[in-house]
Amino acid sequence: MKRDVKAIVKEMTLEEKAGMCSGKDFWHLKSVERLGIPEVMVSDGPHGLRKQADEADHLGLNDSIKAVCFPTACATACSFDRDLLEEMGERLGEECQAENVSVILGPAVNIKRSPLCGRNFEYFSEDPYLASQMAAAQIKGVQSKHVGTSIKHFAANNQEHRRMSCSSEIDERTFREIYLGAFETAIKEAKPDTVMCSYNKINGEFASENYRLLTEILRDDWGFEGYVMSDWGAVNERVKGLKAGLDLEMPGSGGCTDKEIVEAVKNGDLDEAVLNTAVERILNIIFKFTDNRQEAVFNREEDHKLAAKIAAESMVLLKNEGILPIQPEGKKIAFIGKFAEQPRFQGGGSSHINSFKITGALEAAKEIAEGTYAQGYEVKEDKVDEKLLEEAVQTAKEADVAVIFAGLPDAFESEGYDRTHMRMPECQNLLISEIAKVQKHVVVVLHNGSPVEMPWADDVEGILEAYLCGEAVGQAEVGLLFGQANPCGKLAETVPYKLSDNPSYLHFPGDGKTVEYKEGVFVGYRYYDTKEMPVRYPFGYGLSYTTFEYSDMQVSAEEIKDTETLKVSLKIKNTGNMTGKEIVQLYVADKTGAVSRPVKELKNFVKVELQPQEEKTVEMELDKRSFAWYCTELADWYAATGEYEILAAASSRDIRLRKTVKVISSQNLPLSVSRNTTISELLENPGTAVMIKELAESLVAHMGGSQEAEEGNAAAEAITPEMSMKMMENAPLRSMRSFMGMKEAELDALIQKLQDAVV
């Protein structure tokens, strides 16, 4: 049934329209029964349904329904698997249909600027392309079930410290390329029903009141058609927010801001057409859900199995000196650490799921291996329990292999506050070190939502990064440890050796009033790789129980226009003896020198499954945006004419194949010619290049660059042709007066002639 939403809005009173723009309570939107507008519910969260009762709270102090906790975004991003994220989204959508939830609040795509952000476990990556691809896939999956999503937190919300008032100070290019980049592609391609604006200010203005962000960029530039809701309690000035494009305030304000809206319309401060538009957007999404209600069952057992599958695809094998997979026959396995029995598998805060059931590794391993267990440490405080430590060391010593389950306790990372360091609890670091002294064969399994320092990494034979991998985490861990599955995840973030290596280190989290993003576009691997800095584990890195060979890279053309698409193909062969999956990463390196850029940027990827000795050809595409950077002078994306290197890689530090292509730009950078415009700038513009070339040659001659470099010729040795050429390129037009005797009138005439020739 097609609803005439505009007609419905015309029938609403001013008070009813104002009321639609704020929640009835924490989780429900208001109804208008006389017009057939139903009450609908929204619910957290990104990796599981946290449906709460009416009187429940936002941060989860009260219980929600029993649900399935899927792996968190810090883990699922490591799958590099669009199909897997779409499947997870479909299951979340079915759960919402079964529980009558109209919009699920996620996914969260904020960039991992610093490993200290307390909410990093909910975010996908340090890379905007990867984050956007994972988000788009999850959104498509959820919304295929006629349930809405709310991509969040829009935008530049990269810390918890003073998140409700701090201003993210960020330049336009960095904002567009990094922090809006993760949102843009997901919104354009997957079309989420709602966008959740963030708490923070952006360059001094609250996101909830930012017309440029919520209207000019989101709607005018990107074509977003759904409604914008606030994060819970993010509204500062309601009427200003409504004018900016904030349609729905959550939660309800007890009617206070509704009255402000009514009064603003009555006194002429708010055009009622703005209010009408907001109500139409909200009603369109309400009816999209209620008019497409489906019979659905929340099958928790089946969803638990899917959670285990996703976890196994997402965990990353960081180190393996032949210890994995463990062959359990005739071996005594020591399971050490409280997380073996009671795993940490999700983060704290608004996304916390009341899990249906939890499978730890100790339980999952019962039917596979003969094992012993020692708790090793407590998690309530970072304090060494000598008895637990001694018991664990002795248990490990008596075993053939020790598997230590370690990581960050709940108190170390959560929504609401940031970490102050990158270390694990000292009691756990000590435990690992002491066990490594008495047991050669040690594997560490990590449970954490963000990178940790690993002072013991060189002392153990294996490291498996499990992240926060959902309620079936133990089942997936055991499957990987004992070879029932082959690890195939790769890191969606760089793991530095220490916190001070991070590019945001000197500026995170700011002074509480502002936080400066002075590292610019050099975030994550973009910084580490450009600076050639050693890291513990690079972006895109992950081991397998098999090996892969890359060969025969082909490109569809060696030269393309920026309006064309480049097709890239290469062959991947499984050269080992176990079925495995490889994540092939495609990076682009800008060799034009037109602007300061990272040495490489991820622009596509594909995950391919191969049987032993099987070879497949994989194909990927690169469009203009794959080569472009955001040019503030054009207020658009710009790919400079010149050469670009296409890199097929197993990680950002493991480049396997290379091809060079030339891109021809269809755009010209704006050029305003003045007496301080340089010769090189004029040579770059097609319109002025021909005219200035002859003049430039004369200038080189006047600088002495045409002299023969004869031995003993002091002048030629002092002023080489190379030096003259560089001086000429950097010389402003006004230098013509000094070096060529040009008069002021002649210079002015030249400037005007050049300006007329600019294209």
Side-chain angles (χ1 to χ4, degrees):
M1 149 174 84
K2 179 67 175 175
R3 305 271 190 160
D4 189 343
V5 170
K6 287 185 180 294
I8 293 173
V9 173
K10 283 183 180 180
E11 294 295 317
M12 297 176 73
T13 66
L14 177 57
E15 287 72 18
E16 287 170 338
K17 287 187 285 189
M20 285 306 304
C21 293
S22 67
K24 173 187 175 183
D25 51 36
F26 258 84
W27 303 113
H28 296 86
L29 277 62
K30 300 185 184 81
S31 64
V32 182
E33 292 184 11
R34 70 181 187 85
L35 295 175
I37 300 173
E39 176 184 295
V40 295
M41 184 177 194
V42 301
S43 181
D44 285 316
H47 50 264
L49 186 57
R50 195 177 75 88
K51 181 182 177 182
Q52 292 191 287
D54 295 1
E55 67 276 4
D57 63 287
H58 178 47
L59 290 178
L61 299 177
N62 297 313
D63 275 346
S64 52
I65 64 166
K66 287 286 185 181
V68 173
C69 180
F70 291 99
T72 60
C74 65
T76 57
C78 297
S79 74
F80 280 75
D81 193 327
R82 299 175 182 90
D83 293 339
L84 190 69
L85 267 290
E86 189 164 348
E87 183 180 3
M88 179 176 130
E90 289 171 359
R91 202 63 62 89
L92 288 169
E94 289 173 1
E95 294 177 2
C96 288
Q97 282 285 1
E99 292 292 336
N100 198 23
V101 170
S102 68
V103 173
I104 189 166
L105 306 179
V109 300
N110 296 100
I111 295 298
K112 297 183 179 185
R113 179 180 177 236
S114 166
L116 297 184
C117 176
R119 212 167 178 179
N120 272 356
F121 63 88
E122 280 191 67
Y123 303 147
F124 288 113
S125 180
E126 68 189 23
D127 180 78
Y129 178 78
L130 176 57
S132 71
Q133 294 297 298
M134 297 292 97
Q138 186 171 333
I139 290 165
K140 288 174 184 176
V142 172
Q143 296 195 171
S144 71
K145 301 301 178 181
H146 305 291
V147 171
T149 55
S150 190
I151 191 169
K152 61 183 187 180
H153 307 87
F154 191 61
N157 176 195
N158 308 101
Q159 64 189 59
E160 293 298 281
H161 179 66
R162 300 282 179 89
R163 64 177 180 175
M164 298 188 79
S165 58
C166 191
S167 179
S168 299
E169 301 294 306
I170 183 168
D171 69 86
E172 181 69 4
R173 181 185 162 204
T174 299
F175 195 37
R176 290 278 189 166
E177 289 189 26
I178 306 296
Y179 299 98
L180 292 182
F183 288 93
E184 181 179 359
T185 302
I187 288 170
K188 285 181 174 178
E189 293 185 359
K191 301 185 185 305
D193 282 347
T194 82
V195 169
M196 183 188 293
C197 80
S198 56
Y199 288 117
N200 54 287
K201 295 176 183 176
I202 301 167
N203 295 328
E205 186 166 40
F206 280 106
S208 63
E209 299 169 3
N210 196 314
Y211 181 82
R212 182 168 172 273
L213 179 71
L214 302 184
T215 296
E216 293 180 347
I217 294 175
L218 179 61
R219 298 190 184 280
D220 299 344
D221 291 358
W222 299 352
F224 175 67
E225 296 179 345
Y227 70 76
V228 176
M229 69 166 71
S230 71
D231 202 341
W232 268 235
V235 169
N236 178 49
E237 294 183 26
R238 184 65 187 104
V239 174
K240 185 178 179 182
L242 195 58
K243 291 177 181 178
L246 177 65
D247 304 302
L248 177 66
E249 177 186 7
M250 289 300 289
S253 64
C256 293
T257 54
D258 299 351
K259 292 176 182 176
E260 290 177 9
I261 293 171
V262 170
E263 183 60 31
V265 172
K266 287 181 176 179
N267 66 25
D269 185 43
L270 176 66
D271 186 343
E272 192 167 357
V274 173
L275 175 60
N276 292 344
T277 298
V279 175
E280 287 172 18
R281 292 169 180 161
I282 295 167
L283 292 183
N284 281 330
I285 302 305
I286 288 175
F287 291 133
K288 182 178 178 181
F289 172 71
T290 58
D291 293 350
N292 290 281
R293 291 286 286 119
Q294 298 177 343
E295 288 295 324
V297 176
F298 192 161
N299 191 326
R300 290 164 174 79
E301 286 290 351
E302 287 301 311
D303 291 3
H304 183 84
K305 292 177 184 177
L306 177 60
K309 171 189 169 183
I310 296 170
E313 294 276 328
S314 303
M315 294 181 186
V316 184
L317 182 59
L318 297 178
K319 183 176 183 179
N320 184 20
E321 294 182 346
I323 192 171
L324 296 173
I326 299 169
Q327 304 301 323
E329 294 81 10
K331 286 186 179 177
K332 188 176 181 181
I333 315 296
F335 294 89
I336 308 293
K338 191 165 187 175
F339 289 160
E341 183 178 27
Q342 298 176 21
R344 180 162 183 260
F345 59 91
Q346 65 175 326
S350 60
S351 67
H352 196 89
I353 306 300
N354 185 11
S355 295
F356 158 62
K357 67 176 180 180
I358 303 163
T359 305
L362 196 61
E363 176 188 348
K366 286 179 180 177
E367 298 179 5
I368 297 176
E370 177 189 348
T372 54
Y373 169 68
Q375 179 178 319
Y377 57 82
E378 287 287 1
V379 294
K380 291 183 179 180
E381 58 179 333
D382 184 6
K383 185 178 180 181
V384 175
D385 185 312
E386 294 293 347
K387 184 177 180 181
L388 291 178
L389 176 62
E390 184 180 340
E391 178 190 9
V393 171
Q394 187 62 33
T395 300
K397 185 177 182 180
E398 295 171 356
D400 297 303
V401 177
V403 184
I404 305 173
F405 296 80
L408 299 177
D410 284 327
F412 271 59
E413 55 181 350
S414 172
E415 177 178 357
Y417 56 90
D418 298 315
R419 289 196 287 168
T420 57
H421 58 76
M422 216 178 86
R423 299 185 300 276
M424 282 170 43
E426 291 303 324
C427 64
Q428 293 189 33
N429 285 330
L430 177 64
L431 173 70
I432 297 169
S433 297
E434 291 300 306
I435 287 176
K437 292 176 182 178
V438 300
Q439 174 56 258
K440 180 181 178 182
H441 305 301
V442 176
V443 178
V444 175
V445 181
L446 291 171
H447 301 74
N448 49 298
S450 199
V452 293
E453 294 172 8
M454 305 178 197
W456 34 260
D458 295 337
D459 303 325
V460 301
E461 291 186 332
I463 303 173
L464 178 65
E465 176 58 87
Y467 277 111
L468 302 183
C469 240
E471 65 178 44
V473 57
Q475 186 177 330
E477 288 170 341
V478 167
L480 294 171
L481 289 170
F482 292 97
Q484 295 175 327
N486 194 346
C488 59
K490 295 200 175 187
L491 289 173
E493 61 188 330
T494 307
V495 179
Y497 277 103
K498 58 186 185 300
L499 177 62
S500 57
D501 291 341
N502 182 264
S504 72
Y505 177 70
L506 295 177
H507 310 290
F508 182 95
D511 61 10
K513 294 180 180 179
T514 61
V515 53
E516 295 182 295
Y517 286 52
K518 286 195 172 181
E519 67 277 7
V521 298
F522 294 92
V523 177
Y525 73 89
R526 285 167 164 77
Y527 170 80
Y528 297 115
D529 291 0
T530 303
K531 200 173 187 301
E532 300 181 352
M533 176 179 283
V535 295
R536 176 69 74 181
Y537 297 109
F539 176 87
Y541 169 86
L543 301 175
S544 170
Y545 294 150
T546 189
T547 52
F548 300 95
E549 180 181 88
Y550 292 50
S551 66
D552 195 24
M553 184 176 178
Q554 302 290 333
V555 292
S556 57
E558 292 185 356
E559 181 175 305
I560 63 167
K561 296 177 182 177
D562 64 2
T563 53
E564 298 173 327
T565 297
L566 183 74
K567 295 181 179 179
V568 182
S569 67
L570 61 143
K571 292 179 180 177
I572 305 293
K573 183 177 182 179
N574 182 346
T575 52
N577 56 13
M578 183 177 183
T579 298
K581 294 182 180 180
E582 173 67 338
I583 297 164
V584 184
Q585 299 153 52
L586 207 60
Y587 295 84
V588 172
D590 184 345
K591 299 298 183 180
T592 68
V595 73
S596 176
R597 296 185 72 176
V599 291
K600 70 179 81 71
E601 297 172 88
L602 181 72
K603 296 301 177 181
N604 212 329
F605 59 85
V606 64
K607 192 170 189 175
V608 56
E609 182 173 17
L610 296 164
Q611 302 297 317
Q613 302 305 310
E614 182 182 10
E615 184 176 70
K616 289 181 181 178
T617 298
V618 298
E619 297 180 344
M620 289 171 274
E621 292 186 345
L622 299 172
D623 59 13
K624 175 186 172 181
R625 282 290 290 271
S626 304
F627 301 96
W629 49 281
Y630 191 81
C631 175
T632 54
E633 294 171 288
L634 286 171
D636 196 6
W637 294 87
Y638 174 72
T641 294
E643 291 189 341
Y644 296 80
E645 212 170 18
I646 314 303
L647 313 172
S651 81
S652 75
R653 296 279 175 100
D654 186 3
I655 311 301
R656 301 292 180 89
L657 301 170
R658 300 171 183 265
K659 281 281 186 182
T660 299
V661 299
K662 184 175 182 180
V663 175
I664 307 298
S665 179
S666 61
Q667 299 167 288
N668 291 308
L669 293 178
L671 179 62
S672 178
V673 184
S674 71
R675 60 188 54 232
N676 285 306
T677 302
T678 64
I679 301 297
S680 61
E681 289 177 291
L682 294 165
L683 288 170
E684 289 169 3
N685 187 280
T688 58
V690 176
M691 187 182 304
I692 203 68
K693 192 171 183 182
E694 185 177 335
L695 196 64
E697 290 172 354
S698 297
L699 183 59
V700 170
H702 277 81
M703 288 179 173
S706 61
Q707 297 182 59
E708 295 293 329
E710 298 175 357
E711 186 175 352
N713 186 330
E717 291 174 356
I719 305 177
T720 64
E722 292 79 11
M723 171 188 166
S724 295
M725 181 61 67
K726 286 300 178 185
M727 288 180 66
M728 180 277 297
E729 289 176 355
N730 294 318
L733 285 174
R734 60 179 165 77
S735 64
M736 301 294 180
R737 296 176 307 180
S738 302
F739 296 112
M740 296 182 67
M742 188 175 284
K743 302 290 189 289
E744 278 292 336
E746 293 175 312
L747 179 60
D748 291 340
L750 174 63
I751 290 170
Q752 185 58 54
K753 194 174 180 182
L754 288 166
Q755 187 63 64
D756 293 341
V758 169
V759 295

